[in-house]
Amino acid sequence: MPLRLEIVTAERVVFSEEVDMVSAPSADGRVGVLPRHEPMLALLLPGELHYVKNGVSMPFAISGGFIEVLPDRVTILADTAERADEIDEARAEAARQRAEERMRQRHSEEDFIRAEAELRRALVRLQVARLRRERGSR
Ligand code: ATP
């Protein structure tokens, strides 16, 4: 049975193809999905999402959202999602530095929490971009 992976944000369909396996960062831990998985709905945390197709693993950076699993389909509703080759590393590095500086300044608890979330998104993007460079994937 084929497994279709759809990664969707409010802005666009980021990815829609048949794949062999999906690995996603759910709030309950990393979930691995093969065809015929039992139906499931879970919260996603900021992190790396991978799919495997023809033995090749492809990473995406996602900043949180939901995953819905059906036996023949995985739908990711993400706040933001980028394919590794879409990530602007210089932008992510600047976002990382900005977030770290705001965390150091600690203007307010709310500001600190927001900066922490920005830092997490930036670190995921940097990690996914690094993976792509190391593997020489697209
Ligand atoms: P920045 O401060 O650089 O905008 P951010 O974490 O605040 O970073 P988001 O609000 O998470 O950005 O995302 C806004 C939009 O920009 C989304 O469409 C997201 O996919 C895209 N985006 C954010 N950072 C990058 C990046 N480094 N490379 C490519 N696209 C990015």
Side-chain angles (χ1 to χ4, degrees), residues 11-12 63 80-82 86-89 91-92 95 98 118 121-122 125:
E11 291 170 358
R12 65 191 177 119
S63 63
T80 67
E82 300 95 37
E86 294 174 326
I87 293 171
D88 178 340
E89 264 189 279
R91 175 175 167 183
R98 245 186 348 262
E118 283 167 11
R121 290 199 297 274
R125 286 175 178 135

Side-chain angles (χ1 to χ4, degrees), residues 60-86:
F60 289 80
I62 57 166
S63 63
F66 292 94
I67 178 171
E68 182 195 43
V69 178
L70 296 173
D72 63 349
R73 179 178 295 266
V74 176
T75 306
I76 307 290
L77 287 177
D79 297 325
T80 67
E82 300 95 37
R83 280 198 326 263
D85 68 335
E86 294 174 326

